Amino acid sequence: MGKGKLSGQVQKVPGRSPKKAVNVKSENKSVQFRGDVVTSSEEGVQEKMPSDLKSEGKQKDQLVEYPDGRTEVIRADGSKTIHYPNGTKKDVSSDGLSIVLSFFNGDIKKISPNQKVMYYYAETKTQQTTYPDGLEVIEFSNGQVEKHYPDGTKEVIFVDQTVKYLFADGSQESVFTSGVIQRVATNGDVTIEHPNGQREIHTSEFKVMDKNIVGTCAVV
C-alpha cells in the first residue's frame, strides 16, 4: 500500500454511523480512513479488511486492490495471494521463499526455499524441474524422463527402462535392459558389448566380432 506506514486498524463500531473522514499525514502523503477501507489518494490503491475474512479475536487479513486490476490478500501470518486480471494467481509464503504461480492456461510454477524450480506444462502434461546445481529433469506424460547435466551430458530414460547418454563431445552410450551396452564414438564407430563377453565393433569399413561365444575372432 504505497510507502506510508500506518499503525493500528480501522474498525466499524456496530450501531454507529461512521464519522466523516479524518485526514492523516503519513510521510508527506495524505491518507483517508473511511470505515474498513483505507484509501491512498496519491496512488489510487485501496486496502480493505473484507467481512468474509474477519474473525473475532484474531488479526484481520487485508485485501489490497490496485489500479491495474490486481488484488492482493495479505494474511495475518504474512503469507499472501495475488490475483491478476488475466486469471493468474500467485501464492507467496510468509517468509517469501516459497512461491506458487498458477497460470490462466493451467501451467503451474513452484519455487522452493532451496531455489528448486518446478514448472508443469498443462497442455503436454510435462514437468520440468531445475535444481540449484544446474541439473534439469524433464518428466513426460508417457513416463519418459530426461536429465540434463551442467556439463552438457543428457541422460534419457525410456519407458522400457533403456537408458541413453548423449555426451557433450557428441559420443553416445545406450544401456539396454538385456544387459547390452552400445557405444557410438564421435567418428561414428559403434561398439556393442554383450553380457556374455562378446564385443562387436562396427566401422564404416568393416565389422569386427573380437570374441564370440566359443572364444574365436571373426572379421566381417
Side-chain angles (χ1 to χ4, degrees), residues 6 29 33 35 37 39 57-58 68 96 99 114 116 119 131 140 147 172 176 184 186 211 220:
L6 303 176
K29 183 169 65 176
F33 291 79
V37 180
T39 303
K58 295 182 180 180
D68 60 6
I99 299 174
N114 65 353
K116 181 180 74 173
Y119 196 104
Y131 293 86
F140 297 92
K147 297 181 181 180
Q172 302 178 17
F176 299 92
V184 181
T186 55
K211 182 181 179 181
V220 181

Side-chain angles (χ1 to χ4, degrees), residues 138-209:
I138 304 173
E139 301 172 74
F140 297 92
S141 59
N142 65 352
Q144 180 174 313
V145 177
E146 288 187 14
K147 297 181 181 180
H148 298 183
Y149 295 90
D151 64 357
T153 300
K154 294 182 180 179
E155 177 184 353
V156 183
I157 305 173
F158 295 95
V159 180
D160 65 356
Q161 297 306 301
T162 294
V163 181
K164 185 173 185 177
Y165 298 93
L166 305 171
F167 301 102
D169 62 0
S171 60
Q172 302 178 17
E173 178 178 308
S174 297
V175 181
F176 299 92
T177 54
S178 62
V180 173
I181 299 175
Q182 176 179 288
R183 297 183 176 90
V184 181
T186 55
N187 63 358
D189 290 355
V190 178
T191 301
I192 302 174
E193 297 180 359
H194 297 270
N196 62 4
Q198 178 179 314
R199 188 170 71 141
E200 302 176 32
I201 300 175
H202 298 194
T203 72
S204 58
E205 299 179 354
F206 58 84
K207 296 180 181 180
V208 176
M209 187 178 297

Side-chain angles (χ1 to χ4, degrees), residues 23-44:
N23 291 324
V24 179
K25 293 292 183 178
S26 176
E27 293 187 8
N28 299 321
K29 183 169 65 176
S30 177
V31 179
Q32 290 185 329
F33 291 79
R34 295 183 183 276
D36 60 354
V37 180
V38 182
T39 303
S40 169
S41 57
E42 184 178 288
E43 299 185 5

